Amino acid sequence: MTHPSESISAYLDGELTAGERGELGQHISTCGRCAADLEDLQRVRAAVRALPVLEMPDDVYGQLREDDRVVPLHRNRGVWVGAAAAVVALVIAVAALVTPPASSVTIDQLSSRFGARVSLDPAFGPAKVIVPDFAELHE
Amino acid sequence: MESVPLTWEEVARVYGRKIYNFAYRLTGNSADAHDLVQEVLLRVRKGLANYQPGSFEGWLWRITRNAFLDEVRKQKRRPTAPIPDEIDRWDAATTESADLEFDRISLGDDIQKALLELPIEFREAVVLCDVVGLSYEEIASAVAVPVGTVRSRIHRGRKQLRELLE
């Protein structure tokens, strides 16, 4: 019989069938190498199992409990998102109605009118911005 | 039929310590274990709403090991992993006189350090078996591999531990 090495751990864990267990037990009783393996693995297994059980720190729950306090808002998230979207849509619609049509002015005009300093990449040609119609700029 | 905890707080009460010990033995430090337990409980809270009756423990340990693997992937992208607590304690302890308590702690430290040197697949199989106390079948369900693979991983993990501890 070849050495059923992998079965030794399963044997220690009680994970073999009665038949497999009997076979392995018989082999170990006549095989010094497998008997030594069994002893070594038993020691390792016992050492890992003897690691102290650690207590969980209480503050693990802190953030979760904090989250629970805002759950009602999360539960109604769909309603709030819908309401916010409706308000934004309304503002845009009103703005579109009351804002006069846009016209084109140059950076130089803006700069001379408002004293603004604008620096843009000349590689993209003359800089232009679109702003609401300022009639006085064309006077 | 297996009774299912209804809230994340019940899950935390019943399984929290086991999850923490699993997390600590896999990561080797309390900060990562702490974060991992929080992540697991967050996923449990989210997942309980859609939980389908079945093996609750299988579901819970699947979540737990997936959270661990996600954390490992994140750590790989972030090279500054925290130093395991044991190494700090080991350095401090080596300056103290040897007594029984020291022997107990240092023995545990040796095992913890050896666990951290195992490939992740072997480490999680050994920890789920020997720290958490799951059966091979439960581990197979949590890790989504055949029982034969679990058997092989546990055995190879223990053999490597033996070599590391020699």
Side-chain angles (χ1 to χ4, degrees):
Chain A
M1 181 179 180
T2 54
H3 301 286
S5 175
E6 249 180 39
S7 297
I8 295 176
S9 277
Y11 175 81
L12 290 169
D13 293 326
E15 293 275 355
L16 293 182
T17 63
E20 289 171 324
R21 200 176 170 78
E23 248 179 65
L24 186 72
Q26 210 169 5
H27 174 80
I28 284 172
S29 67
T30 59
C31 175
R33 178 179 146 182
C34 285
D37 268 358
L38 175 73
E39 205 175 301
D40 285 349
L41 290 170
Q42 198 162 21
R43 226 179 1 248
V44 169
R45 178 178 179 271
V48 177
R49 286 176 178 237
L51 281 168
V53 176
L54 306 165
E55 286 304 323
M56 187 163 65
D58 288 340
D59 63 345
V60 166
Y61 301 135
Q63 188 56 49
L64 285 146
R65 294 217 166 97
E66 195 65 31
D67 289 352
D68 272 356
R69 279 201 277 277
V70 295
V71 161
L73 178 64
H74 286 202
R75 281 187 189 139
N76 294 323
R77 187 184 287 158
V79 175
W80 286 106
V81 169
V87 169
V88 169
L90 187 65
V91 167
I92 291 170
V94 170
L97 284 174
V98 300
T99 306
S103 67
S104 175
V105 292
T106 66
I107 290 295
D108 286 344
Q109 284 172 306
L110 276 177
S111 185
S112 63
R113 180 71 178 83
F114 298 109
R117 283 174 63 84
V118 180
S119 171
L120 292 174
D121 187 345
F124 290 94
K128 282 190 174 183
V129 293
I130 306 296
V131 296
D133 186 28
F134 292 99
E136 69 270 22
L137 286 175
H138 297 291
E139 283 169 4
Chain B
M1 192 183 148
E2 191 182 12
S3 73
V4 176
L6 296 173
T7 65
W8 71 265
E9 275 156 317
E10 284 172 279
V11 176
R13 188 168 50 75
V14 178
Y15 297 99
R17 196 163 68 164
K18 273 191 177 182
I19 299 171
Y20 181 75
N21 277 268
F22 167 84
Y24 189 94
R25 296 304 170 199
L26 285 187
T27 61
N29 73 85
S30 49
D32 282 348
H34 181 285
D35 290 352
L36 189 57
V37 174
Q38 275 196 341
E39 179 59 27
V40 169
L41 292 176
L42 277 169
R43 291 184 188 198
V44 164
R45 186 173 66 182
K46 204 172 163 190
L48 276 176
N50 303 317
Y51 175 75
Q52 299 292 318
S55 164
F56 177 77
E57 288 212 25
W59 177 78
L60 176 65
W61 291 109
R62 243 187 330 274
I63 287 180
T64 304
R65 64 87 65 167
N66 287 342
F68 167 66
L69 288 186
D70 289 347
E71 193 48 43
V72 170
R73 287 185 202 114
K74 264 193 252 170
Q75 296 272 352
K76 276 185 184 165
R77 288 197 291 269
R78 206 188 320 142
T80 51
I83 298 162
D85 291 350
E86 283 69 21
I87 292 172
D88 295 343
R89 274 200 283 135
W90 174 262
D91 291 344
T94 48
T95 62
E96 296 168 8
S97 61
D99 56 18
L100 283 177
E101 181 63 8
F102 167 73
D103 287 346
R104 193 185 69 82
I105 291 170
S106 62
L107 181 65
D109 282 356
D110 280 352
I111 294 160
Q112 178 66 64
K113 277 198 277 190
L115 274 175
L116 293 177
E117 289 191 42
L118 294 184
I120 284 172
E121 292 81 9
F122 297 175
R123 199 190 318 161
E124 73 172 356
V126 169
V127 170
L128 284 171
C129 179
D130 291 332
V131 174
V132 180
L134 298 189
S135 69
Y136 285 15
E137 203 171 333
E138 288 167 327
I139 298 170
S141 160
V143 180
V145 295
V147 174
T149 306
V150 172
R151 176 195 282 211
S152 164
R153 286 180 182 179
I154 289 172
H155 181 69
R156 292 168 70 189
R158 284 182 185 152
K159 277 188 85 168
Q160 281 197 21
L161 281 178
R162 180 182 64 182
E163 285 158 22
L164 289 162
L165 291 166
E166 265 171 6

mmCIF file of all heavy atoms in Angstrom, chain A residues 76-109:
data_model
loop_
_atom_site.group_PDB
_atom_site.id
_atom_site.type_symbol
_atom_site.label_atom_id
_atom_site.label_comp_id
_atom_site.label_asym_id
_atom_site.label_seq_id
_atom_site.Cartn_x
_atom_site.Cartn_y
_atom_site.Cartn_z
ATOM 1 N N ASN A 76 -35.661 55.998 2.543
ATOM 2 C CA ASN A 76 -36.455 56.884 1.701
ATOM 3 C C ASN A 76 -35.603 57.564 0.638
ATOM 4 O O ASN A 76 -35.988 58.584 0.093
ATOM 5 C CB ASN A 76 -37.134 57.953 2.573
ATOM 6 C CG ASN A 76 -38.156 57.314 3.501
ATOM 7 O OD1 ASN A 76 -38.830 56.368 3.100
ATOM 8 N ND2 ASN A 76 -38.241 57.804 4.719
ATOM 9 N N ARG A 77 -34.442 56.972 0.383
ATOM 10 C CA ARG A 77 -33.512 57.626 -0.528
ATOM 11 C C ARG A 77 -34.166 57.920 -1.881
ATOM 12 O O ARG A 77 -34.014 58.991 -2.441
ATOM 13 C CB ARG A 77 -32.275 56.754 -0.716
ATOM 14 C CG ARG A 77 -31.198 57.437 -1.497
ATOM 15 C CD ARG A 77 -30.047 56.500 -1.745
ATOM 16 N NE ARG A 77 -29.285 56.275 -0.544
ATOM 17 C CZ ARG A 77 -28.504 55.202 -0.362
ATOM 18 N NH1 ARG A 77 -28.436 54.291 -1.268
ATOM 19 N NH2 ARG A 77 -27.817 55.049 0.747
ATOM 20 N N GLY A 78 -34.969 56.974 -2.399
ATOM 21 C CA GLY A 78 -35.599 57.136 -3.704
ATOM 22 C C GLY A 78 -36.477 58.380 -3.753
ATOM 23 O O GLY A 78 -36.431 59.162 -4.704
ATOM 24 N N VAL A 79 -37.235 58.596 -2.679
ATOM 25 C CA VAL A 79 -38.132 59.758 -2.619
ATOM 26 C C VAL A 79 -37.312 61.031 -2.618
ATOM 27 O O VAL A 79 -37.611 61.988 -3.344
ATOM 28 C CB VAL A 79 -39.003 59.683 -1.337
ATOM 29 C CG1 VAL A 79 -39.851 60.929 -1.201
ATOM 30 C CG2 VAL A 79 -39.859 58.423 -1.373
ATOM 31 N N TRP A 80 -36.264 61.058 -1.818
ATOM 32 C CA TRP A 80 -35.442 62.276 -1.715
ATOM 33 C C TRP A 80 -34.731 62.585 -3.024
ATOM 34 O O TRP A 80 -34.658 63.729 -3.448
ATOM 35 C CB TRP A 80 -34.397 62.118 -0.597
ATOM 36 C CG TRP A 80 -35.013 62.210 0.765
ATOM 37 C CD1 TRP A 80 -35.241 61.193 1.630
ATOM 38 C CD2 TRP A 80 -35.517 63.392 1.399
ATOM 39 N NE1 TRP A 80 -35.848 61.657 2.766
ATOM 40 C CE2 TRP A 80 -36.035 63.010 2.648
ATOM 41 C CE3 TRP A 80 -35.594 64.726 1.028
ATOM 42 C CZ2 TRP A 80 -36.613 63.901 3.532
ATOM 43 C CZ3 TRP A 80 -36.160 65.628 1.918
ATOM 44 C CH2 TRP A 80 -36.664 65.219 3.154
ATOM 45 N N VAL A 81 -34.238 61.541 -3.667
ATOM 46 C CA VAL A 81 -33.544 61.751 -4.939
ATOM 47 C C VAL A 81 -34.536 62.290 -5.974
ATOM 48 O O VAL A 81 -34.243 63.230 -6.708
ATOM 49 C CB VAL A 81 -32.892 60.430 -5.432
ATOM 50 C CG1 VAL A 81 -32.400 60.554 -6.858
ATOM 51 C CG2 VAL A 81 -31.731 60.045 -4.513
ATOM 52 N N GLY A 82 -35.736 61.737 -5.985
ATOM 53 C CA GLY A 82 -36.767 62.180 -6.923
ATOM 54 C C GLY A 82 -37.128 63.642 -6.691
ATOM 55 O O GLY A 82 -37.219 64.447 -7.624
ATOM 56 N N ALA A 83 -37.290 63.998 -5.397
ATOM 57 C CA ALA A 83 -37.664 65.372 -5.055
ATOM 58 C C ALA A 83 -36.551 66.331 -5.466
ATOM 59 O O ALA A 83 -36.809 67.399 -6.038
ATOM 60 C CB ALA A 83 -37.928 65.479 -3.552
ATOM 61 N N ALA A 84 -35.308 65.940 -5.194
ATOM 62 C CA ALA A 84 -34.169 66.803 -5.529
ATOM 63 C C ALA A 84 -34.085 66.998 -7.047
ATOM 64 O O ALA A 84 -33.871 68.114 -7.527
ATOM 65 C CB ALA A 84 -32.878 66.181 -5.012
ATOM 66 N N ALA A 85 -34.308 65.927 -7.792
ATOM 67 C CA ALA A 85 -34.261 66.008 -9.254
ATOM 68 C C ALA A 85 -35.355 66.935 -9.772
ATOM 69 O O ALA A 85 -35.133 67.741 -10.685
ATOM 70 C CB ALA A 85 -34.416 64.620 -9.856
ATOM 71 N N ALA A 86 -36.553 66.860 -9.153
ATOM 72 C CA ALA A 86 -37.667 67.702 -9.583
ATOM 73 C C ALA A 86 -37.332 69.170 -9.337
ATOM 74 O O ALA A 86 -37.600 70.035 -10.190
ATOM 75 C CB ALA A 86 -38.932 67.306 -8.827
ATOM 76 N N VAL A 87 -36.726 69.473 -8.181
ATOM 77 C CA VAL A 87 -36.375 70.858 -7.860
ATOM 78 C C VAL A 87 -35.343 71.381 -8.849
ATOM 79 O O VAL A 87 -35.472 72.493 -9.371
ATOM 80 C CB VAL A 87 -35.835 70.955 -6.397
ATOM 81 C CG1 VAL A 87 -35.211 72.311 -6.140
ATOM 82 C CG2 VAL A 87 -36.950 70.675 -5.405
ATOM 83 N N VAL A 88 -34.322 70.561 -9.144
ATOM 84 C CA VAL A 88 -33.276 70.982 -10.085
ATOM 85 C C VAL A 88 -33.888 71.241 -11.455
ATOM 86 O O VAL A 88 -33.607 72.251 -12.102
ATOM 87 C CB VAL A 88 -32.165 69.899 -10.176
ATOM 88 C CG1 VAL A 88 -31.212 70.188 -11.328
ATOM 89 C CG2 VAL A 88 -31.399 69.824 -8.859
ATOM 90 N N ALA A 89 -34.779 70.362 -11.897
ATOM 91 C CA ALA A 89 -35.424 70.514 -13.212
ATOM 92 C C ALA A 89 -36.224 71.813 -13.256
ATOM 93 O O ALA A 89 -36.201 72.557 -14.250
ATOM 94 C CB ALA A 89 -36.320 69.314 -13.489
ATOM 95 N N LEU A 90 -36.933 72.118 -12.150
ATOM 96 C CA LEU A 90 -37.751 73.326 -12.087
ATOM 97 C C LEU A 90 -36.873 74.570 -12.177
ATOM 98 O O LEU A 90 -37.175 75.512 -12.921
ATOM 99 C CB LEU A 90 -38.549 73.319 -10.771
ATOM 100 C CG LEU A 90 -39.573 74.431 -10.618
ATOM 101 C CD1 LEU A 90 -40.676 74.291 -11.665
ATOM 102 C CD2 LEU A 90 -40.165 74.416 -9.211
ATOM 103 N N VAL A 91 -35.771 74.573 -11.443
ATOM 104 C CA VAL A 91 -34.862 75.723 -11.453
ATOM 105 C C VAL A 91 -34.324 75.948 -12.853
ATOM 106 O O VAL A 91 -34.283 77.072 -13.358
ATOM 107 C CB VAL A 91 -33.711 75.502 -10.433
ATOM 108 C CG1 VAL A 91 -32.600 76.521 -10.649
ATOM 109 C CG2 VAL A 91 -34.228 75.573 -9.012
ATOM 110 N N ILE A 92 -33.948 74.877 -13.523
ATOM 111 C CA ILE A 92 -33.395 75.000 -14.886
ATOM 112 C C ILE A 92 -34.457 75.557 -15.832
ATOM 113 O O ILE A 92 -34.201 76.452 -16.640
ATOM 114 C CB ILE A 92 -32.868 73.632 -15.384
ATOM 115 C CG1 ILE A 92 -31.622 73.247 -14.581
ATOM 116 C CG2 ILE A 92 -32.552 73.664 -16.873
ATOM 117 C CD1 ILE A 92 -31.154 71.823 -14.795
ATOM 118 N N ALA A 93 -35.697 75.059 -15.684
ATOM 119 C CA ALA A 93 -36.778 75.502 -16.566
ATOM 120 C C ALA A 93 -37.046 76.991 -16.369
ATOM 121 O O ALA A 93 -37.177 77.762 -17.330
ATOM 122 C CB ALA A 93 -38.037 74.684 -16.292
ATOM 123 N N VAL A 94 -37.103 77.429 -15.092
ATOM 124 C CA VAL A 94 -37.374 78.848 -14.806
ATOM 125 C C VAL A 94 -36.237 79.704 -15.335
ATOM 126 O O VAL A 94 -36.456 80.739 -15.964
ATOM 127 C CB VAL A 94 -37.572 79.055 -13.281
ATOM 128 C CG1 VAL A 94 -37.598 80.527 -12.931
ATOM 129 C CG2 VAL A 94 -38.850 78.364 -12.830
ATOM 130 N N ALA A 95 -35.008 79.260 -15.110
ATOM 131 C CA ALA A 95 -33.841 80.015 -15.566
ATOM 132 C C ALA A 95 -33.876 80.177 -17.080
ATOM 133 O O ALA A 95 -33.574 81.243 -17.616
ATOM 134 C CB ALA A 95 -32.566 79.309 -15.133
ATOM 135 N N ALA A 96 -34.273 79.121 -17.779
ATOM 136 C CA ALA A 96 -34.322 79.165 -19.239
ATOM 137 C C ALA A 96 -35.364 80.178 -19.711
ATOM 138 O O ALA A 96 -35.172 80.873 -20.708
ATOM 139 C CB ALA A 96 -34.646 77.781 -19.778
ATOM 140 N N LEU A 97 -36.466 80.276 -18.959
ATOM 141 C CA LEU A 97 -37.535 81.190 -19.350
ATOM 142 C C LEU A 97 -37.147 82.655 -19.136
ATOM 143 O O LEU A 97 -37.480 83.518 -19.929
ATOM 144 C CB LEU A 97 -38.808 80.871 -18.552
ATOM 145 C CG LEU A 97 -39.582 79.624 -19.007
ATOM 146 C CD1 LEU A 97 -40.720 79.331 -18.053
ATOM 147 C CD2 LEU A 97 -40.122 79.814 -20.434
ATOM 148 N N VAL A 98 -36.470 82.939 -18.014
ATOM 149 C CA VAL A 98 -36.178 84.329 -17.676
ATOM 150 C C VAL A 98 -34.848 84.827 -18.216
ATOM 151 O O VAL A 98 -34.593 86.018 -18.220
ATOM 152 C CB VAL A 98 -36.212 84.569 -16.144
ATOM 153 C CG1 VAL A 98 -37.577 84.230 -15.563
ATOM 154 C CG2 VAL A 98 -35.111 83.791 -15.453
ATOM 155 N N THR A 99 -33.982 83.934 -18.696
ATOM 156 C CA THR A 99 -32.662 84.365 -19.178
ATOM 157 C C THR A 99 -32.755 84.768 -20.642
ATOM 158 O O THR A 99 -33.235 83.994 -21.462
ATOM 159 C CB THR A 99 -31.647 83.225 -19.041
ATOM 160 O OG1 THR A 99 -31.658 82.772 -17.690
ATOM 161 C CG2 THR A 99 -30.245 83.683 -19.408
ATOM 162 N N PRO A 100 -32.281 85.973 -20.975
ATOM 163 C CA PRO A 100 -32.298 86.387 -22.377
ATOM 164 C C PRO A 100 -31.336 85.552 -23.197
ATOM 165 O O PRO A 100 -30.437 84.941 -22.635
ATOM 166 C CB PRO A 100 -31.847 87.852 -22.330
ATOM 167 C CG PRO A 100 -31.241 88.057 -20.987
ATOM 168 C CD PRO A 100 -31.733 87.002 -20.087
ATOM 169 N N PRO A 101 -31.509 85.534 -24.534
ATOM 170 C CA PRO A 101 -30.632 84.709 -25.363
ATOM 171 C C PRO A 101 -29.170 85.104 -25.188
ATOM 172 O O PRO A 101 -28.865 86.265 -24.957
ATOM 173 C CB PRO A 101 -31.112 84.977 -26.784
ATOM 174 C CG PRO A 101 -32.212 85.959 -26.689
ATOM 175 C CD PRO A 101 -32.468 86.312 -25.287
ATOM 176 N N ALA A 102 -28.289 84.131 -25.321
ATOM 177 C CA ALA A 102 -26.872 84.384 -25.156
ATOM 178 C C ALA A 102 -26.293 85.044 -26.395
ATOM 179 O O ALA A 102 -26.820 84.904 -27.483
ATOM 180 C CB ALA A 102 -26.169 83.064 -24.903
ATOM 181 N N SER A 103 -25.248 85.804 -26.191
ATOM 182 C CA SER A 103 -24.541 86.329 -27.345
ATOM 183 C C SER A 103 -23.058 86.104 -27.129
ATOM 184 O O SER A 103 -22.633 85.770 -26.039
ATOM 185 C CB SER A 103 -24.844 87.807 -27.519
ATOM 186 O OG SER A 103 -24.303 88.528 -26.445
ATOM 187 N N SER A 104 -22.281 86.336 -28.168
ATOM 188 C CA SER A 104 -20.860 86.041 -28.078
ATOM 189 C C SER A 104 -20.076 87.321 -27.795
ATOM 190 O O SER A 104 -20.311 88.347 -28.416
ATOM 191 C CB SER A 104 -20.434 85.433 -29.403
ATOM 192 O OG SER A 104 -19.074 85.240 -29.395
ATOM 193 N N VAL A 105 -19.167 87.259 -26.836
ATOM 194 C CA VAL A 105 -18.274 88.391 -26.577
ATOM 195 C C VAL A 105 -16.867 87.846 -26.493
ATOM 196 O O VAL A 105 -16.663 86.672 -26.236
ATOM 197 C CB VAL A 105 -18.607 89.116 -25.248
ATOM 198 C CG1 VAL A 105 -19.929 89.811 -25.318
ATOM 199 C CG2 VAL A 105 -18.524 88.170 -24.072
ATOM 200 N N THR A 106 -15.925 88.723 -26.718
ATOM 201 C CA THR A 106 -14.530 88.248 -26.670
ATOM 202 C C THR A 106 -13.982 88.428 -25.264
ATOM 203 O O THR A 106 -14.512 89.181 -24.452
ATOM 204 C CB THR A 106 -13.645 89.038 -27.641
ATOM 205 O OG1 THR A 106 -13.593 90.370 -27.163
ATOM 206 C CG2 THR A 106 -14.175 88.987 -29.048
ATOM 207 N N ILE A 107 -12.861 87.726 -25.025
ATOM 208 C CA ILE A 107 -12.195 87.832 -23.738
ATOM 209 C C ILE A 107 -11.746 89.270 -23.502
ATOM 210 O O ILE A 107 -11.840 89.802 -22.413
ATOM 211 C CB ILE A 107 -10.974 86.890 -23.692
ATOM 212 C CG1 ILE A 107 -11.457 85.446 -23.650
ATOM 213 C CG2 ILE A 107 -10.091 87.161 -22.475
ATOM 214 C CD1 ILE A 107 -12.229 85.066 -22.420
ATOM 215 N N ASP A 108 -11.297 89.940 -24.602
ATOM 216 C CA ASP A 108 -10.814 91.321 -24.453
ATOM 217 C C ASP A 108 -11.918 92.229 -23.968
ATOM 218 O O ASP A 108 -11.719 93.090 -23.120
ATOM 219 C CB ASP A 108 -10.274 91.828 -25.794
ATOM 220 C CG ASP A 108 -8.934 91.175 -26.101
ATOM 221 O OD1 ASP A 108 -8.341 90.619 -25.138
ATOM 222 O OD2 ASP A 108 -8.498 91.216 -27.263
ATOM 223 N N GLN A 109 -13.145 91.995 -24.538
ATOM 224 C CA GLN A 109 -14.271 92.817 -24.121
ATOM 225 C C GLN A 109 -14.575 92.597 -22.637
ATOM 226 O O GLN A 109 -14.772 93.548 -21.889
ATOM 227 C CB GLN A 109 -15.508 92.474 -24.958
ATOM 228 C CG GLN A 109 -15.448 93.055 -26.366
ATOM 229 C CD GLN A 109 -16.599 92.529 -27.205
ATOM 230 O OE1 GLN A 109 -16.793 91.335 -27.310
ATOM 231 N NE2 GLN A 109 -17.359 93.449 -27.772
#
